[in-house]
């Protein structure tokens, strides 16, 4: 895809999404940065909650009315619920999926008709290394990203004949507002039988995220992807050691790999 593109980035008010919107805007594209509470930005902004059918339909209709097309969507909006699976309520589990999984599906369904008609388009689904590796005490987050991996693999052959590419981007730890925005499930506090292990693991997550790669690293990966004529199914990005260790998973006996993770996270029985 070459020349000036019309690009929708969801979750563009902070972190990875903001870095993507900034770089793609600086490269001369027409960028719409969507989030629930957008602030002032050099690019165009949209107040768009990906959990709302109505808001997504309205936002995409606005872009189509103003620009006549959407060339690229970066489905980046996401949040993280932390807590053991047992401590996570069904409402919290559904809220995790509503943003990270159904949000992506909702936005993709909204842009696909116009992409199909124009026989061109690129959808970049921001997954995570946690979509390849189940993280303890972020089970619902991991599950939402594993689900996104499956959805993307399934969609690709469906839409390829219409000239539309769908790609997974799997970052490792990136230094964003994710630490501040992490939602601890209500039952994870005092009284939870998982509390000690939970606190230890979340502290490690926070340390790794704080020292993670810059969001600009992911933005540069997205910018390169947009220029790739036949993109692969998935691309990892971020800290090399995390990407390497995740890539080893299929080659290790499963219990040994799991044991290494348990020791690494300091989880006690
Ligand atoms: N940081 C990491 O280490 C890391 C690693 C792997 C993958 N990821 C993935 O990368 C993506 C971005 O994460 P981040 O670390 O940049 O997070 P972040 O700094 O917390 O930013 C999240 C962004 O998503 C927006 N957002 C949240 N809920 C939304 C909704 N319902 N509708 C629209 N926008 C919404 C937020 O804006 P508003 O609050 O204004 O809506 C914000 O702009 C997520 O999908 C995350 O899972 C992050």
């Amino acid at each position: 895809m070459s020349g000036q593109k019309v690009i929708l980035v969801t979750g563009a008010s902070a972190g990875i999404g903001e870095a993507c919107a900034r770089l793609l805007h600086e490269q001369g594209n027409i960028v719409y940065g969507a989030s629930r509470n957008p602030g002032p930005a050099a690019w165009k902004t949209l107040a768009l909650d990906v959990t709302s059918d109505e808001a997504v339909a309205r936002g995409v209709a606005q872009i189509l009315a103003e620009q006549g097309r959407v060339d690229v969507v970066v489905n980046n909006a996401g949040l993280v619920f932390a807590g053991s699976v047992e401590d996570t309520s069904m409402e919290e589990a559904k809220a995790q999926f509503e943003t990270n999984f159904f949000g992506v599906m909702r936005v993709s369904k909204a842009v696909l008709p116009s992409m199909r008609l124009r026989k061109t388009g690129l959808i970049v689904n921001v997954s995570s290394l946690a979509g390849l590796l189940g993280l303890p005490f972020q089970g619902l987050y991991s599950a939402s990203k594993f689900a996104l991996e499956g959805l993307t693999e399934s969609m690709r052959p469906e839409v390829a004949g219409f000239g539309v590419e769908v790609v997974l981007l799997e970052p490792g730890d990136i230094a964003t507002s994710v630490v501040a925005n992490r939602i601890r499930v209500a039952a994870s506090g005092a009284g939870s039988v998982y509390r000690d292990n939970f606190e230890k693991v979340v502290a490690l997550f926070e340390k790794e995220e704080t020292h993670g790669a810059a969001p600009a690293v992911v933005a540069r990966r997205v910018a390169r992807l947009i220029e790739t004529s036949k993109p692969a199914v998935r691309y990892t990005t971020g800290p090399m050691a995390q990407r390497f260790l995740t890539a080893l998973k299929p080659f290790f006996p499963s219990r040994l790999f799991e044991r290494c993770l348990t020791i690494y996270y300091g989880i006690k029985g």
Side-chain angles (χ1 to χ4, degrees):
M1 230 183 248
S2 57
Q4 186 185 56
K5 287 159 287 278
V6 178
I7 303 176
L8 168 60
V9 181
T10 67
S13 63
I16 292 170
E18 185 181 29
C20 289
R22 173 171 294 109
L23 178 63
L24 298 170
H25 166 76
E26 285 169 0
Q27 290 180 337
N29 299 294
I30 301 170
V31 176
Y32 285 78
S35 62
R36 290 167 300 183
N37 303 301
W43 48 92
K44 295 173 186 294
T45 59
L46 283 176
L48 186 161
D49 183 338
V50 298
T51 69
S52 159
D53 289 346
E54 194 272 329
V56 169
R58 185 165 23 88
V60 170
Q62 181 184 329
I63 304 174
L64 291 175
E66 290 175 4
Q67 311 297 337
R69 67 190 207 274
V70 181
D71 296 309
V72 179
V73 174
V74 183
N75 273 318
N76 164 80
L79 43 79
V80 181
F81 279 78
S84 71
V85 173
E86 186 181 350
D87 282 339
T88 304
S89 70
M90 293 312 295
E91 288 66 31
E92 289 163 332
K94 287 176 186 171
Q96 177 69 90
F97 269 72
E98 196 56 62
T99 300
N100 290 21
F101 179 75
F102 291 113
V104 172
M105 182 178 168
R106 196 172 274 115
V107 173
S108 301
K109 279 168 64 73
V111 295
L112 270 171
S114 64
M115 286 183 171
R116 274 194 293 100
L117 279 176
R118 295 184 57 248
K119 291 213 161 295
T120 181
L122 172 67
I123 299 174
V124 180
N125 290 338
V126 180
S127 175
S128 170
L129 293 184
L132 302 172
L133 191 86
L135 293 180
F137 300 106
Q138 272 187 189
L140 270 299
Y141 175 75
S142 269
S144 71
K145 297 297 189 181
F146 270 69
L148 187 54
E149 298 266 331
L151 183 88
T152 306
E153 285 186 3
S154 297
M155 272 178 76
R156 283 176 54 94
E158 293 172 5
V159 300
F162 295 104
V164 180
E165 295 280 359
V166 194
V167 174
L168 285 158
L169 189 62
E170 298 155 335
D173 284 318
I174 310 295
T176 66
S177 339
V178 66
V179 174
N181 291 340
R182 175 175 278 105
I183 301 165
R184 289 164 177 250
V185 302
S188 64
S192 168
V193 297
Y194 298 97
R195 187 153 189 211
D196 289 350
N197 281 329
F198 169 70
E199 291 298 345
K200 210 183 317 175
V201 172
V202 170
L204 186 57
F205 287 157
E206 290 181 348
K207 187 172 156 210
E208 291 181 334
E209 287 154 0
T210 305
H211 296 98
V217 169
V218 186
R220 288 197 290 275
R221 177 72 261 184
V222 170
R224 286 202 305 280
L225 236 174
I226 290 173
E227 300 303 330
T228 305
S229 60
K230 291 195 188 318
V233 180
R234 45 175 57 81
Y235 295 85
T236 59
T237 181
M240 188 52 82
Q242 294 177 350
R243 294 158 64 189
F244 178 68
L245 289 173
T246 308
L248 289 180
K249 182 182 166 188
F251 305 105
F252 264 65
S254 56
R255 285 187 70 91
L256 175 62
F257 190 82
E258 182 185 55
R259 182 81 195 117
C260 294
L261 272 190
T262 306
I263 292 169
Y264 177 73
Y265 285 118
I267 297 173
K268 298 275 184 293

